[in-house]
Every structure is written in structure tokens, then in C-alpha cells.
Amino acid sequence: MVDPQSSTPLYAQIQDDILAKVARGEFKASEKLPSEKELADRYSVSIITIRRAIAELVEQNVLKRKQGKG
């Protein structure tokens, strides 16, 4: 999970955790991630933090966004 006391920004910790879950097969390439709300609840952070983590992963071509698909 995330450590609010860490010097690493929360969004970066979430990125690392999502990448680890992809590597372990918890998040599969052909499936969509849980909703932003679900992720925010899971990590106990704001939706803005989740959006930044996801945006960074999209920019790195790790994730793909599909409008209207969740």
C-alpha cells in the first residue's frame, strides 16, 4: 500500500503498486482497472491522486485509456 510519511509522492507509490500488480497478474492486460473511486478508496487517497498516477502510466504507455469504457 502507500505510506503517507514517505518522501516518495503518493501518486508514484500508487504507480509502483499498480505495476507490481500487473507483473503478478492481479491486473491483467486485457481487463480494465477498478474505477478511480474504487482505487481511491483502496489506497485511501483522493481521486485526483489516482488520476495523476494513471495519467503518468498512460504517458509511459503502460496503460491505455478508452473514452467511455471505464
Side-chain angles (χ1 to χ4, degrees):
M1 286 308 196
V2 294
D3 177 10
Q5 304 304 318
S6 173
S7 62
T8 304
L10 291 174
Y11 76 90
Q13 293 179 53
I14 293 167
Q15 285 177 309
D16 291 343
D17 192 58
I18 290 173
L19 287 172
K21 288 182 178 184
V22 169
R24 289 192 304 264
E26 290 180 44
F27 293 147
K28 300 196 185 344
S30 60
E31 296 176 353
K32 60 183 182 176
L33 290 177
S35 72
E36 291 175 346
K37 171 79 171 105
E38 289 176 78
L39 289 171
D41 290 344
R42 184 179 295 183
Y43 290 107
S44 299
V45 298
S46 71
I47 288 178
I48 293 169
T49 302
I50 295 297
R51 285 184 181 156
R52 179 151 183 204
I54 290 172
E56 297 266 338
L57 291 171
V58 168
E59 192 172 299
Q60 296 169 17
N61 292 320
V62 174
L63 298 178
K64 285 172 112 177
R65 277 194 188 258
K66 289 186 180 180
Q67 189 67 29
K69 294 293 182 185

